Each structure stands twice: as structure tokens, then as C-alpha cells.
Amino acid sequence: LTSWINATRKRHLRDFAKLQHDRREAVLHRERTEGYRASVEEDAVREAQERAEAERRRQAEEEEERRREELEARREVLRESLPEEPEPGAAGASTIALRFADGTRDQRRFPSDAPIDSIFDWIDVEHEIERERLELGTMNGSRTFVHGAGEASTIEGAGLGRMTALRVGIVEGSSEDAGEDDETEGDESEEYSD
């Protein structure tokens, strides 16, 4: 019996080796096919995600462009609606000086009976900071003003004198220029009164 088994084994050794080889090749072929299929599916998902991301970026760019155009149109209307700047020394004129968080300064004269929101409009037009994001405060910090708050209707009604200096700050929670949010308090002597 042993000799018969050995003889059979020798006779079919090549066939057995070929069967094992074919089985291994079939397993490898199945793994390659499944890997290829998974790769194709992953590529399709990735391409779909890239298309969706590109579409989101395109929509965001269009929205930003639309918003920028609206802002430019609004600023042009605000520029035209600003009151005429009175002559230096004119009666009933208030000089408003601004100090921005980055240290820059600006000033302009307004009629005392001009709406206080015209100061915000001027800053929006000239310095391109949206007026809704602004907070104006007196230099000593005793009073603050925000656009549209309706605290006082005119510059004179708000208690701003002939010469007034204001700090310009950005209202908390704004999305732009976090470095401009707050002004560091310094002991500065100003030529303007509060």
C-alpha cells in the first residue's frame, strides 16, 4: 500500500503542484480584481468630493464677488450722501478726529446738525471698514457709539463738541482683521477734547 501511495504521489506530483499553483493564481487574481474595484470606487468618491469642493469654492467666490459689488455700490451711495465738509472755523462745524487700532489717524469736519451715523458712513467710505462692524469710543472711554444704535440723532445731540477725538474699534465677533478688534489703552495726550 505504501509503495502504491508513493507511486501515485510521484505520478501526480506535477498535477498536484499545478493545481496548487492555479489555486494561488486564482486567489491573487481575485485579490487584484477586488483591489482594482475598490480603487475605482475610491477614485470615484474622491473625484465626486473634489467636484463638490470645487463647486463650493466657486459658489463662495461668486457670493464674495456679489457681496463686494454690493458693498462698492453701497459705498458709492454713502459717498454721495455724506454732508459737505464745512470750511475751517465755520460756525456750527464739528471736527471729528479718528484714531484707528493700527495707530493711523484721520479727521474731517461735519456740520454739528449732521446725523451721527454720517461719521460711520465716512469711515465706511474712506477706510473701507463696514460701518456695522464699527464701534467709536471717546478717548477716555466714557462713551461708545455703534452704527444705527439711535442714541443721539445728531453729532451735537450726542454731546460731541467742536473738536472731538474718537477711537475706532471693531465690534466683537467680526470676521475680518482680528488684530483691529481692540485698541491698547495708552496714556496719550490729545489735542482734542471728548
Side-chain angles (χ1 to χ4, degrees):
L1 181 64
T2 330
S3 64
W4 177 80
I5 291 176
N6 284 337
T8 305
R9 189 174 63 85
K10 284 181 185 178
R11 193 176 334 140
H12 297 291
L13 187 61
R14 282 192 193 147
D15 292 337
F16 181 69
K18 186 174 182 321
L19 285 173
Q20 284 183 331
H21 175 70
D22 289 348
R23 194 173 121 273
R24 281 193 304 266
E25 285 297 317
V27 168
L28 289 174
H29 177 69
R30 186 172 56 245
E31 289 174 356
R32 279 189 292 235
T33 303
E34 289 172 0
Y36 176 74
R37 207 173 286 135
S39 175
V40 168
E41 289 172 3
E42 289 172 1
D43 287 348
V45 168
R46 182 180 42 79
E47 289 171 0
Q49 288 173 342
E50 288 173 354
R51 282 192 301 272
E53 181 61 30
E55 180 64 20
R56 277 193 295 272
R57 274 195 307 265
R58 185 188 62 75
Q59 288 176 348
E61 289 170 359
E62 287 176 358
E63 178 65 25
E64 180 60 29
E65 180 65 21
R66 184 189 60 76
R67 185 179 175 285
R68 189 188 62 72
E69 289 172 358
E70 287 175 359
L71 201 54
E72 288 300 319
R74 181 183 83 168
R75 285 186 175 141
E76 191 57 39
V77 169
L78 291 177
R79 178 176 275 109
E80 293 171 6
S81 71
L82 283 174
E84 288 290 323
E85 188 168 2
E87 293 295 322
S94 293
T95 300
I96 305 296
L98 303 175
R99 181 165 181 224
F100 292 87
D102 62 2
T104 58
R105 297 170 187 248
D106 197 2
Q107 74 177 26
R108 185 185 192 278
R109 287 178 303 283
F110 290 90
S112 296
D113 59 351
I116 194 163
D117 282 347
S118 61
I119 298 171
F120 290 92
D121 296 345
W122 166 54
I123 296 170
D124 194 336
V125 168
E126 293 299 321
H127 299 281
E128 297 184 351
I129 304 171
E130 294 179 48
R131 62 187 179 179
E132 294 82 8
R133 298 177 50 229
L134 292 172
E135 180 179 74
L136 301 179
T138 56
M139 294 308 278
N140 64 8
S142 63
R143 300 207 44 210
T144 59
F145 305 96
V146 292
H147 179 265
E151 296 136 350
S153 58
T154 65
I155 293 173
E156 187 175 40
L160 303 180
R162 288 184 45 85
M163 298 183 86
T164 303
L166 299 171
R167 289 183 193 267
V168 179
I170 305 297
V171 176
E172 291 291 322
S174 63
S175 61
E176 204 177 295
D177 297 335
E180 291 183 351
D181 282 344
D182 291 319
E183 178 69 32
T184 55
E185 296 293 327
D187 188 13
E188 296 250 350
S189 60
E190 297 287 335
E191 24 179 322
Y192 302 101
S193 66
D194 288 330

